[in-house]
């Protein structure tokens, strides 16, 4: 059973870059033909998909965030990462890493990490 | 992009009630809809996948139905632990995934 764990700073200053890493344990990220991705949830609000990277390295981004987002996978470390540039207070949220198969449900979730954007 | 419209946004009900939450897709997504339950401070938990398949370990009072554009999640007899927020999500298209706006189920 795979486990996902987010890591990264919990506080980021406005205009700086938010960087998070998701470490996958319990199996090789390469052995799953999965979309690995990031979902965020602002306080008291709903779920928003930021984007995904397919195990092959192909990326898919939310059009509303595309200009600021980079998602990458490092199979040697069994990790995938998120970079969100030029952050503002509206980017304050719990960030989840997650994984699903094509056409499948999101069956792997990290526990989530709160990132606050504040000076 | 496929939009998912979920209703109602909130719902008050009592233990033992039958409740239904609906989700409408902006285009046909066949049966590729999934339902999640989220409690405060926790990651969403998968309840139903492929519109009507019950995830292992989920109580049978939860059920899903629908195909094409219209889907429902039904809880046949509410239990105290069911008061939470529920989300639908489509997995028909390539990412980014889209979710419904959520339904907060509260105790009456």
């Amino acid at each position: 059973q795979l486990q996902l764990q987010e890591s990264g700073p919990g506080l980021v200053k406005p205009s700086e870059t938010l960087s998070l890493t998701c470490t996958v344990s319990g199996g090789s990220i390469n052995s799953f033909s999965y979309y690995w991705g990031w979902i965020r949830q602002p306080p008291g609000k709903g779920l928003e998909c930021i984007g995904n990277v397919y195990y092959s390295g192909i990326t898919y981004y939310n059009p509303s965030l595309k200009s600021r987002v980079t998602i990458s996978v490092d199979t040697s470390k069994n990790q995938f990462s998120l970079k969100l540039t030029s952050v503002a207070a509206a980017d304050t949220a719990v960030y989840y890493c997650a994984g699903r198969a094509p056409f499948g449900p999101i069956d792997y979730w990290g526990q989530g990490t709160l990132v606050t954007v504040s000076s | 992009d496929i939009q998912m419209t979920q209703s109602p946004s909130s719902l008050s009900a009592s233990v033992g009630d039958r409740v239904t939450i609906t989700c409408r897709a902006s285009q046909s997504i066949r049966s590729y809809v999934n339902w999640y339950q989220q409690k405060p401070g926790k990651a969403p938990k998968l309840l139903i996948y492929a519109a009507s398949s019950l995830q292992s370990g989920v109580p049978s009072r939860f059920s899903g139905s629908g195909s094409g554009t219209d889907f429902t999640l039904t809880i046949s007899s509410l239990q105290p632990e069911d008061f939470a927020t529920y989300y639908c999500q489509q997995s028909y298209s390539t990412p980014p995934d889209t979710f419904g706006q959520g339904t907060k189920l509260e105790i009456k």
Side-chain angles (χ1 to χ4, degrees):
Chain A
Q1 179 75 354
L2 290 186
Q3 293 187 324
L4 279 59
Q5 177 69 58
E6 304 89 352
S7 60
L11 180 64
V12 182
K13 290 182 169 56
S15 80
E16 294 190 345
T17 296
L18 180 159
S19 296
L20 294 174
T21 296
C22 184
T23 300
V24 180
S25 59
S28 170
I29 203 170
N30 255 343
S31 63
F32 288 77
S33 301
Y34 264 47
Y35 296 113
W36 303 104
W38 295 90
I39 295 164
R40 71 180 183 178
Q41 186 171 38
K45 296 189 178 180
L47 300 165
E48 178 184 39
C49 182
I50 299 169
N52 297 72
V53 57
Y54 197 41
Y55 80 107
S56 61
I58 300 172
T59 53
Y60 308 83
Y61 298 134
N62 186 322
S64 68
L65 298 169
K66 186 175 183 177
S67 63
R68 299 196 289 132
V69 174
T70 303
I71 296 174
S72 58
V73 62
D74 186 338
T75 55
S76 67
K77 294 182 178 179
N78 229 31
Q79 295 175 335
F80 58 100
S81 299
L82 167 70
K83 291 190 186 300
L84 180 66
T85 62
S86 303
V87 297
D91 295 309
T92 293
V94 174
Y95 285 76
Y96 295 99
C97 59
R100 73 166 177 90
F103 300 108
I106 301 170
D107 48 0
Y108 295 111
W109 292 83
Q111 64 183 26
T113 186
L114 174 63
V115 179
T116 301
V117 178
S118 176
S119 55
Chain B
D1 291 356
I2 299 173
Q3 306 303 316
M4 302 296 286
T5 303
Q6 187 175 338
S7 62
S9 57
S10 64
L11 179 58
S12 293
S14 301
V15 172
D17 284 354
R18 178 184 180 91
V19 300
T20 298
I21 298 168
T22 64
C23 202
R24 174 165 287 177
S26 58
Q27 67 182 72
S28 176
I29 56 171
R30 296 170 60 183
S31 294
Y32 295 110
V33 74
N34 312 295
W35 291 93
Y36 303 85
Q37 176 193 67
Q38 187 180 35
K39 295 185 177 179
K42 299 294 187 181
K45 171 189 173 184
L46 177 63
L47 299 175
I48 301 286
Y49 63 95
S52 60
S53 296
L54 193 67
Q55 174 71 350
S56 176
V58 174
S60 59
R61 62 181 179 273
F62 291 92
S63 64
S65 65
S67 66
T69 60
D70 294 316
F71 303 90
T72 60
L73 171 70
T74 299
I75 311 172
S76 60
S77 179
L78 274 173
Q79 298 302 300
E81 61 267 30
D82 300 337
F83 291 94
T85 301
Y86 294 83
Y87 294 94
C88 60
Q89 173 244 346
Q90 66 85 17
S91 54
Y92 174 73
S93 63
T94 55
D97 297 333
T98 45
F99 293 89
Q101 298 90 331
T103 295
K104 186 173 184 179
L105 180 52
E106 299 175 306
I107 301 174
K108 185 182 287 184

